[in-house]
Amino acid sequence: MIIMENLPKEIKEIIKDCYPYIKEFNPAQKHVIESGYLETKDNYVIAIPTASGKTVLGVMAALKSILNGGKAVYAAPLISIQNEKVKEFKKFENHGIKIGKHPNSSDLSVMVFESFDALTRFSWDVLRDVDTLILDEFHMIGEYSRGPTLECAITRAKIINPNLRIIALSATLQNMEEIEGWLDAKIVEHDYRPVPLNKEVLNTEMFNTSNKNEVVVKIVEKAIEDNSQTLSFVSTRLFTESLANFVSGKIKRKVTSEQKKRFKKVAEAILDVPKKKGSRPTSTCLKLAESAENGAVFHHAGLFNEQKEIIEEEFREGNLLMIAATPSLMYGVNLPSRSVIIRDYTRWTSQGPQAIPVFDYEQMSGRAGRPQYDDVGFSYLIAKSLDEAYDLQERYVHGEVETTNSKLIENKDAIYKQIIAQIASNLSKTPEEIQDFFKMTFYGYQMSNNPSMALFADDSLKFEIESALEFLLKNGIIQATPSGLSATPFGNLIAKSNYSVETAVKLKEYALQVESIDLNQLIYHLASTPDLPLISFKSRKSKEPVREMMAKKGLFAVNIGNPEATTVALIEWIDERNEYEIENAYNVYSASSRRSAYEASLLVKFLKNIFETIGKYNHSKDLDYISARLYYGVKEDLITLVLGVKRLGRKRARALVDTFGEDLRPYSLKQLQNVEGIGPKLAEKIKIFSETYDI
């Protein structure tokens, strides 16, 4: 407890109240606190293992700022982490600290990297009010898609608010000195793990089998004996399903009747999700529920969001034995378990199967061992043979984490976006000023401090910027004026959005060419942009039904892939088909239909803005209708009703119109309530709406 005494009184009281399970700090946390990070205004990188309590250390730095009358931002890579942290930090509100998702309305705001990046582009006054920036999962700076956004947001933030204090929470990286130099930060490292981690490489020969899934079963059976849980990582969605199904079938005799009851409840909750949305459970839902009945489930992007939440919550509560997941879960919500199995050490990429980096192996292994429950964690990597096991032991267990390099220049879209951001926000007016900005990024720092690359750094950067500027000028995104480079109205539209430049350019080309909008053609066009989350095929079964539907709608495709599956699913969605019908007809993961349709509806609004930017206003009403149809999943005749009555939804709206016709004025509140799902409050809203609007 002595270490608690070293904290300022107010911070100590808040931590004791909001984190009652922390009786004393662990050695890693003590080491960080004793480094004096709470007493100075220096930037810090806190690099300690997963589950060592980094969040609390970041929070204490934020509290120090807030208690001194300032504001803090906690930036995280994913919305799932953002939501988790908002929930965790809500307890601070009992101490008068306002929690939210934007510094405008809160003392401590939790933002995703992209939202913080937007703050650095357009909300300078708000950014200057922020005293401390906590960066969670900072090691993602070396990741291809989010890394460039993070490093450029940090670079801009340091220019706009030079007094901003940065506390980066990270796994230990190979090149800490580079990070230290670029951030002008002090590094505090410690290797203490509250739960010791035991890493092993197993192989199928040890178990007299050639099937890796049999090895997974043995580990899960051992976990059942120890009354613990298992997290298994495999490379594809299909494999998560087949593994969960295989394990479920093998362990059902090991499950007690008491466990069976708990698992049954989970299975029922999983099947309730589609029912509440007006769909029968899809075959994926049934497969998931069937596996869940024996305590094994799968978790991937093809499930309903609510199903993923149920799985995560029930696993935390100890009501599931195993989750089979794709590697994306390692960056997601906090889901530790006593044992982690890495069945597949390859991942499918556009270049074919590639071995995962050591860093990813460490991140997945780091999920093993729950600080408040386990005294040890186990990570098992599975090999096919003894020889392969030796190789994997050398590469992963004894291997060193790769150097973290900036991906800014590799990611063309990131270069375009950041140049547009610099010009639109008036931070850079000339190619030279843009080059100066890029020199201040992590990429610029790495290039100029690398003895073998420093000589080429300037020329290389100049070439990349000139190529990018040429592309942006050619596509009418920026323009050259006597006072310097400026963003066009189209460029400003891109700068204020989170869409990729490729998406914006594709939509502008469409807007310039089209005379009258063909709804099906437009949906196919949206599905060809990188910003629409695609609905994927479940297996290699015949894709002919998708091809036939495309042809029926006048759409012709040489290859039938996920963009085509998405197009057809969305066409069916706005024709009021439910997920069960879409999945059965086309063999796709239809649970993603709602998310895809929601994003498509936002893209249509973006397209409407592009039309208006180029002076075409005659399509605005049509685009509003299309956006609404995608959002609600309705035919045209229901648009006014679903827009006019909040939370009515497409199923009840259709039942109303089928029962009473389009004019609802003659019907009483009692008659309206005869429609399933319509209670007194909703009936009241419908009545007010029908009398106000002439349908």
Side-chain angles (χ1 to χ4, degrees):
M1 285 298 283
I2 297 165
I3 196 70
M4 271 281 194
E5 304 309 317
N6 299 349
L7 296 179
K9 186 166 175 281
E10 279 184 278
I11 293 179
K12 187 166 60 178
E13 281 171 12
I14 295 170
I15 297 299
K16 274 184 176 176
D17 179 40
C18 300
Y19 296 93
Y21 58 85
I22 300 179
K23 301 301 176 201
E24 64 173 317
F25 291 116
N26 66 45
Q29 292 171 322
K30 285 179 184 178
H31 178 69
V32 174
I33 292 165
E34 283 163 1
S35 74
Y37 88 113
L38 285 173
E39 279 96 62
T40 75
K41 289 191 173 179
D42 295 334
N43 294 337
Y44 265 76
V45 179
I46 296 170
I48 57 178
T50 307
S52 298
K54 285 194 276 273
T55 301
V56 173
L57 294 168
V59 157
M60 290 197 292
L63 291 175
K64 190 187 170 200
S65 284
I66 294 162
L67 294 170
N68 286 336
K71 284 180 184 261
V73 167
Y74 189 104
L78 302 169
I79 288 171
S80 55
I81 299 177
Q82 179 189 35
N83 293 336
E84 196 178 76
K85 295 301 177 193
V86 166
K87 208 168 153 187
E88 180 184 328
F89 299 159
K90 273 288 174 190
K91 296 171 194 160
F92 299 151
E93 297 203 328
N94 298 335
H95 296 268
I97 294 165
K98 193 144 178 42
I99 307 300
K101 293 185 177 180
H102 198 280
N104 254 344
S105 53
S106 44
D107 303 312
L108 174 56
S109 40
V110 187
M111 307 182 85
V112 288
F113 292 161
E114 288 78 6
S115 302
F116 180 70
D117 181 46
L119 199 68
T120 68
R121 285 182 271 150
F122 297 106
S123 305
W124 294 358
D125 288 344
V126 178
L127 182 62
R128 288 188 183 113
D129 281 343
V130 177
D131 300 86
T132 302
L133 169 65
I134 315 296
L135 298 165
D136 198 3
E137 308 277 356
F138 174 75
H139 40 258
M140 286 190 83
I141 197 151
E143 197 248 351
Y144 179 82
S145 58
R146 287 189 166 89
T149 303
L150 177 59
E151 71 171 284
C152 291
I154 293 169
T155 307
R156 241 188 320 276
K158 285 166 74 181
I159 294 167
I160 295 157
N161 183 356
N163 297 320
L164 180 69
R165 184 184 191 207
I166 297 170
I167 306 279
L169 310 175
S170 177
T172 298
L173 301 174
Q174 187 64 22
N175 46 326
M176 276 299 186
E177 314 71 39
E178 278 190 310
I179 307 278
E180 183 179 27
W182 176 60
L183 273 183
D184 187 20
K186 291 183 175 173
I187 307 276
V188 195
E189 290 182 81
H190 202 278
D191 59 5
Y192 171 79
R193 221 180 168 272
V195 182
L197 179 58
N198 189 358
K199 297 179 189 169
E200 289 183 47
V201 180
L202 305 177
N203 69 81
T204 55
E205 290 174 14
M206 295 162 71
F207 297 87
N208 296 319
T209 179
S210 58
N211 185 351
K212 284 185 174 188
N213 288 354
E214 292 282 5
V215 182
V216 175
V217 169
K218 296 287 181 215
I219 299 166
V220 175
E221 286 177 344
K222 175 78 173 73
I224 294 171
E225 285 171 28
D226 296 343
N227 195 24
S228 67
Q229 297 164 287
T230 310
L231 198 53
S232 300
F233 288 107
V234 292
S235 57
T236 68
R237 291 182 191 184
L238 214 53
F239 287 161
T240 66
E241 295 180 14
S242 60
L243 178 61
N245 185 258
F246 185 84
V247 171
S248 172
K250 293 281 187 179
I251 63 171
K252 61 181 170 192
R253 286 178 195 83
K254 306 262 180 183
V255 172
T256 65
S257 56
E258 187 48 49
Q259 284 176 313
K260 266 280 189 193
K261 281 182 203 162
R262 298 210 315 263
F263 301 156
K264 184 86 177 153
K265 278 187 181 171
V266 178
E268 284 165 3
I270 283 165
L271 293 177
D272 264 354
V273 171
K275 284 176 197 164
K276 283 177 181 166
K277 293 175 179 289
S279 171
R280 281 167 65 188
T282 65
S283 58
T284 306
C285 299
L286 293 169
K287 197 189 281 188
L288 178 60
E290 192 185 338
S291 290
E293 288 199 1
N294 294 313
V297 292
F298 51 88
H299 184 295
H300 60 55
L303 303 179
F304 288 97
N305 282 340
E306 294 87 344
Q307 288 173 334
K308 287 188 277 187
E309 284 163 17
I310 289 166
I311 289 166
E312 290 158 14
E313 195 51 47
E314 296 294 347
F315 190 76
R316 280 194 204 101
E317 294 294 320
N319 295 330
L320 287 168
L321 298 172
M322 185 198 81
I323 296 179
T326 48
S328 56
L329 192 66
M330 69 179 168
Y331 282 125
V333 287
N334 184 25
L335 264 193
S337 67
R338 186 179 169 92
S339 303
V340 164
I341 302 167
I342 302 162
R343 195 199 72 175
D344 303 339
Y345 63 90
T346 57
R347 194 173 301 162
W348 190 259
T349 69
S350 49
Q351 284 86 44
Q354 300 278 330
I356 60 168
V358 178
F359 185 81
D360 284 8
Y361 165 76
E362 291 286 348
Q363 287 291 108
M364 287 187 257
S365 294
R367 293 278 180 184
R370 302 161 303 165
Q372 288 158 62
Y373 306 98
D374 300 322
D375 50 7
V376 65
F378 296 95
S379 156
Y380 302 104
L381 179 57
I382 303 179
K384 269 286 202 192
S385 65
L386 193 57
D387 286 348
E388 189 184 45
Y390 282 130
D391 289 345
L392 296 181
Q393 184 92 15
E394 283 309 304
R395 183 191 301 174
Y396 291 113
V397 180
H398 303 308
E400 287 197 330
V401 169
E402 298 78 8
T403 301
T404 298
N405 289 320
S406 166
K407 300 291 188 296
L408 179 56
I409 295 298
E410 291 172 41
N411 185 334
K412 284 278 175 272
D413 202 74
I415 301 174
Y416 297 151
K417 284 282 286 186
Q418 295 305 332
I419 290 176
I420 297 165
Q422 284 300 105
I423 294 170
S425 58
N426 288 319
L427 278 172
S428 303
K429 287 280 193 187
T430 64
E432 293 73 28
E433 285 173 0
I434 292 166
Q435 194 162 341
D436 289 342
F437 170 75
F438 276 85
K439 279 181 190 170
M440 294 169 74
T441 61
F442 185 43
Y443 166 80
Y445 184 88
Q446 283 194 302
M447 284 291 279
S448 55
N449 285 277
N450 180 334
S452 54
M453 296 308 291
L455 194 62
F456 308 103
D458 279 5
D459 286 347
S460 166
L461 196 53
K462 194 176 175 196
F463 170 77
E464 293 292 349
I465 289 166
E466 281 174 358
S467 307
L469 288 172
E470 199 178 314
F471 172 86
L472 297 173
L473 283 161
K474 191 177 80 183
N475 284 285
I477 296 166
I478 60 169
Q479 58 196 359
T481 72
S483 59
L485 295 168
S486 70
T488 62
F490 178 49
N492 277 319
L493 201 58
I494 298 171
K496 289 192 167 83
S497 81
N498 275 328
Y499 292 124
S500 72
V501 178
E502 185 188 333
T503 291
V505 168
K506 275 190 169 179
L507 293 182
K508 186 185 175 190
E509 282 168 3
Y510 172 87
L512 287 168
Q513 288 163 13
V514 77
E515 285 308 317
S516 64
I517 291 175
D518 175 312
L519 176 56
N520 301 323
Q521 202 78 50
L522 170 57
I523 290 174
Y524 192 22
H525 201 79
L526 296 177
S528 73
T529 69
D531 281 291
L532 187 70
L534 295 181
I535 296 163
S536 54
F537 282 103
K538 287 170 61 187
S539 64
R540 291 178 183 167
K541 270 190 202 165
S542 170
K543 294 177 178 178
E544 220 38 53
V546 168
R547 189 187 296 279
E548 283 167 17
M549 183 60 163
M550 295 277 289
K552 193 173 154 190
K553 297 292 180 183
L555 304 170
F556 299 97
V558 181
N559 298 314
I560 300 294
N562 292 345
E564 289 68 32
T566 306
T567 303
V568 167
L570 292 182
I571 289 170
E572 292 284 31
W573 173 253
I574 60 173
D575 209 24
E576 296 179 30
R577 300 277 184 278
N578 62 39
E579 286 88 349
Y580 172 80
E581 293 165 327
I582 295 169
E583 183 161 313
N584 270 11
Y586 303 106
N587 187 43
V588 296
Y589 282 115
S590 61
S592 352
S593 301
R594 284 169 200 261
R595 183 180 169 225
S596 202
Y598 170 70
E599 294 297 343
S601 78
L602 296 181
L603 267 173
V604 172
K605 286 183 179 176
F606 184 57
L607 175 63
K608 178 191 168 189
N609 291 336
I610 291 173
F611 265 107
E612 292 175 356
T613 299
I614 60 171
K616 280 187 168 185
Y617 294 91
N618 52 327
H619 299 298
S620 295
K621 196 177 176 191
D622 287 345
L623 291 166
D624 281 338
Y625 270 28
I626 293 167
S627 179
R629 284 189 67 187
L630 283 161
Y631 185 88
Y632 291 101
V634 292
K635 295 177 181 172
E636 204 156 348
D637 63 320
L638 289 188
I639 290 175
T640 319
L641 186 55
V642 291
L643 282 173
V645 183
K646 273 192 176 166
R647 295 197 171 83
L648 177 63
R650 65 181 191 158
K651 192 186 174 192
R652 289 181 294 205
R654 178 54 63 202
L656 270 174
V657 171
D658 285 353
T659 308
F660 303 115
E662 290 194 2
D663 187 356
L664 301 173
R665 285 172 299 179
Y667 302 99
S668 69
L669 288 173
K670 198 174 177 188
Q671 285 172 304
L672 293 173
Q673 286 176 63
N674 286 335
V675 171
E676 192 189 343
I678 293 178
K681 281 186 180 173
L682 198 51
E684 188 86 44
K685 282 185 189 173
I686 295 162
K687 195 74 189 145
I688 293 166
F689 169 77
S690 66
E691 285 165 1
T692 314
Y693 299 90
D694 187 4
I695 301 176

